């Protein structure tokens, strides 16, 4: 088989948070048949800023409207796109967002579920190492604010 081509993708996503009866909660989405819980994110479209993408993807994937408070950081990982025989390096920019409205019932049909979790429950639940690092950093930022 010919060697895999290399692709680069840039996505953007967010940690959206709210206070609920004195407990800080964040929203996660479930994908891959509900087996993987992760942060909402998606590809930065042409003409979009990473901040705009983050707000749009959080709204689409979780059903929640958020307002950006700060940048949390970036993660990157490699994955293989079988149909294209390509190795893809994806970089994801993450933003901390304050919850403004909406319901997780209105999550995208492309995700299996969307739900609020207390921060520490979310930390235990996220499947990817990179997402966990971002949630840990978000927790510090929320506690300082
Ligand atoms: P996007 O959500 O950016 O529109 P997509 O749905 O095509 O894109 P991803 O969700 O990035 O793609 O998933 C592509 C591959 O990368 C999947 O195999 C997934 O398991 C893996 N992946 C997704 N997020 C992470 C992450 N934070 N860390 C490691 N691997 C991840």
């Amino acid at each position: 088989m010919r060697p895999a081509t290399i692709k680069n993708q840039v996505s953007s996503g967010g940690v959206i948070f709210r206070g609920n009866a004195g407990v800080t909660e964040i929203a996660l989405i479930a994908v891959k048949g509900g087996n993987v819980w992760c942060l909402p994110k998606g590809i930065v479209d042409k003409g979009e800023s990473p901040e705009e993408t983050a707000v749009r993807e959080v709204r689409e994937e979780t059903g929640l409207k958020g307002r950006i408070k700060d940048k949390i950081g970036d993660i990157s990982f490699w994955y293989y796109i079988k149909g294209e025989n390509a190795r893809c390096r994806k970089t994801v920019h993450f933003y901390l967002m304050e919850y403004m409205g909406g319901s997780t019932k209105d999550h995208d049909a492309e995700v299996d579920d969307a739900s609020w979790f207390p921060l520490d429950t979310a930390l235990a639940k996220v499947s990817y190492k990179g997402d966990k690092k971002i949630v840990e950093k978000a927790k510090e930022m929320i506690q300082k604010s």
Side-chain angles (χ1 to χ4, degrees):
M1 195 160 80
R2 69 196 154 82
T5 37
I6 303 291
K7 285 181 79 167
N8 276 291
Q9 285 180 345
V10 179
S11 282
S12 200
V15 176
I16 185 166
F17 73 97
R18 70 173 183 188
N20 187 17
V23 176
T24 303
E25 296 180 329
I26 68 163
L28 297 178
I29 58 165
V31 295
K32 299 190 185 242
N35 294 310
V36 169
W37 285 90
C38 60
L39 291 168
K41 61 151 176 55
I43 301 271
V44 178
D45 285 340
K46 262 208 186 101
E48 232 181 7
S49 67
E51 289 87 351
E52 286 167 339
T53 307
V55 170
R56 176 178 60 74
E57 289 287 345
V58 166
R59 194 185 58 236
E60 287 174 4
E61 294 197 326
T62 66
L64 307 172
K65 193 169 174 287
R67 184 172 63 192
I68 291 182
K69 293 203 75 177
D70 217 337
K71 174 101 191 256
I72 303 171
D74 302 335
I75 63 166
S76 57
F77 55 90
W78 285 92
Y79 72 101
Y80 182 67
I81 310 172
K82 231 183 191 168
E84 301 176 30
N85 185 29
R87 275 180 30 82
C88 182
R89 183 173 195 269
K90 184 171 284 208
T91 300
V92 192
H93 303 286
F94 279 107
Y95 296 86
L96 185 64
M97 286 182 207
E98 190 176 6
Y99 170 60
M100 303 303 287
S103 165
T104 50
K105 284 188 208 132
D106 298 322
H107 70 77
D108 200 324
E110 280 176 27
V111 306
D112 298 308
D113 201 0
S115 184
W116 289 104
F117 294 100
L119 249 172
D120 288 326
T121 310
L123 260 177
K125 197 138 187 119
V126 284
S127 307
Y128 300 121
K129 252 196 320 206
D131 283 18
K132 186 167 275 193
K133 206 182 69 188
I134 292 295
V135 177
E136 271 164 3
K137 180 117 185 267
K139 181 179 172 181
E140 282 171 26
M141 291 167 78
I142 294 165
Q143 283 168 347
K144 275 190 200 146
S145 69

